[in-house]
Amino acid sequence: MSRYVRYTALKTIVIREITRFTRIWPQTVLPPAITMTLYFIIFGNLIGSRIGSMEGYSYMEFITPGLIMMSVITSSYANVVSSFFSMKFQRSIEEILIAPVPYYIILIGFVTGGVARGLLVGLIVSIISIFFTGLHIDNLLITSVVILLTAILFSIAGMINAVFARNFDDISIIPTFVLTPLTYLGGVFYSISLLPEFWQGVSMANPILYMINAFRYGVLGISDINIAAAFFIILLFITVLGSATLYLLKTGRGIRS
């Protein structure tokens, strides 16, 4: 297959994915922005003023990186899982699978759409945070790389969820019972140094903890975990989940009836 054909296929999928979530922006972009604004008001202004400082920063400044990352995680995941499952449910995904397009092009196309939505929502939440706290970036390179890799990771995870989902209820099980608890327990609203030693060890098994702390390090320059370990964990999950997704696409498991 020529490079032009691969490029055209990739561009078509990416344009479709971006057009899809921008066309229905009141459902895809606006709700996360409103939700995060409420978090800033309730946890930052109302509760944060009573908590005081954390790790040398005001509570509002401390939770801002976590809230931004939480919006990126949920948005990138939701975009791919809903889009891919909708195509599978309507059986239009079969047109892509039988086309002479490499499976990695399909994966990259859908993931790019998820990343685009995740980063857009993250940017909007970052702008909103400026109205509540003086947002500054301590290390722009680390901040950019972490948020990009995290969006890629959860876009891939959303695709795996969509592959195994049999109905629309199935695409909400993982976000509700797995993703949300792990995000809330991933250090968004607190430092794990406040926990007893045993629970600190338990928290280290939560992969989202590494992503949030790595992003907080890029923004504020503080972290509860080793940054090198955080990058290793993120890249490891991307490699494993990405390979698993390609295998599922090649075998057609959960896709071809």
Side-chain angles (χ1 to χ4, degrees):
M1 177 181 292
S2 67
R3 181 180 302 177
Y4 175 77
V5 174
R6 292 195 297 268
Y7 169 76
T8 302
L10 177 61
K11 182 178 70 172
T12 301
I13 297 174
V14 171
I15 291 176
R16 177 195 177 276
E17 289 301 294
I18 295 178
T19 302
R20 174 184 170 274
F21 77 78
T22 53
R23 186 177 63 248
I24 54 174
W25 64 268
Q27 303 174 38
T28 58
V29 178
L30 189 59
I34 295 176
T35 301
M36 291 303 124
T37 301
L38 293 175
Y39 277 122
F40 281 120
I41 294 175
I42 297 173
F43 290 95
N45 280 349
L46 301 181
I47 299 178
S49 59
R50 300 188 179 187
I51 294 178
S53 63
M54 185 170 291
E55 301 290 332
Y57 290 90
S58 68
Y59 188 66
M60 175 74 82
E61 292 176 316
F62 181 83
I63 68 172
T64 294
L67 293 178
I68 295 173
M69 184 60 74
M70 186 165 65
S71 67
V72 172
I73 289 173
T74 54
S75 296
S76 56
Y77 188 97
N79 190 79
V80 179
V81 69
S82 60
S83 177
F84 193 85
F85 179 75
S86 295
M87 293 190 68
K88 190 177 77 168
F89 181 78
Q90 298 166 359
R91 297 191 179 278
S92 58
I93 191 64
E94 297 176 358
E95 299 175 2
I96 297 179
L97 294 177
I98 64 175
V101 178
Y103 293 110
Y104 73 86
I105 293 293
I106 299 175
L107 175 61
I108 293 175
F110 278 93
V111 168
T112 301
V115 170
R117 177 175 165 183
L119 295 184
L120 176 60
V121 172
L123 176 61
I124 293 174
V125 174
S126 299
I127 294 174
I128 292 173
S129 69
I130 296 176
F131 294 96
F132 296 92
T133 182
L135 180 66
H136 69 281
I137 305 297
D138 185 76
N139 190 312
L140 181 60
L141 178 61
I142 291 180
T143 301
S144 303
V145 173
V146 170
I147 200 169
L148 176 61
L149 292 179
T150 302
I152 292 174
L153 171 58
F154 283 95
S155 294
I156 298 174
M159 196 163 183
I160 293 179
N161 187 179
V163 168
F164 285 104
R166 296 183 178 180
N167 52 59
F168 284 98
D169 291 334
D170 289 345
I171 67 175
S172 63
I173 292 177
I174 299 299
T176 301
F177 295 102
V178 178
L179 198 56
T180 298
L182 288 179
T183 302
Y184 280 109
L185 297 175
V188 174
F189 300 103
Y190 60 89
S191 169
I192 63 169
S193 61
L194 301 175
L195 301 175
E197 186 175 349
F198 172 77
W199 291 109
Q200 289 186 33
V202 173
S203 297
M204 298 299 287
N206 182 356
I208 295 182
L209 174 73
Y210 296 86
M211 304 168 202
I212 291 176
N213 272 275
F215 187 68
R216 181 174 287 131
Y217 179 83
V219 176
L220 301 179
I222 59 173
S223 174
D224 292 327
I225 49 96
N226 182 273
I227 301 303
F231 276 103
F232 174 78
I233 292 296
I234 297 173
L235 292 173
L236 176 63
F237 270 85
I238 289 177
T239 302
V240 172
L241 295 185
S243 300
T245 306
L246 285 175
Y247 172 78
L248 292 172
L249 290 175
K250 291 178 181 179
T251 59
R253 182 176 179 180
I255 304 174
R256 296 187 176 96
S257 57

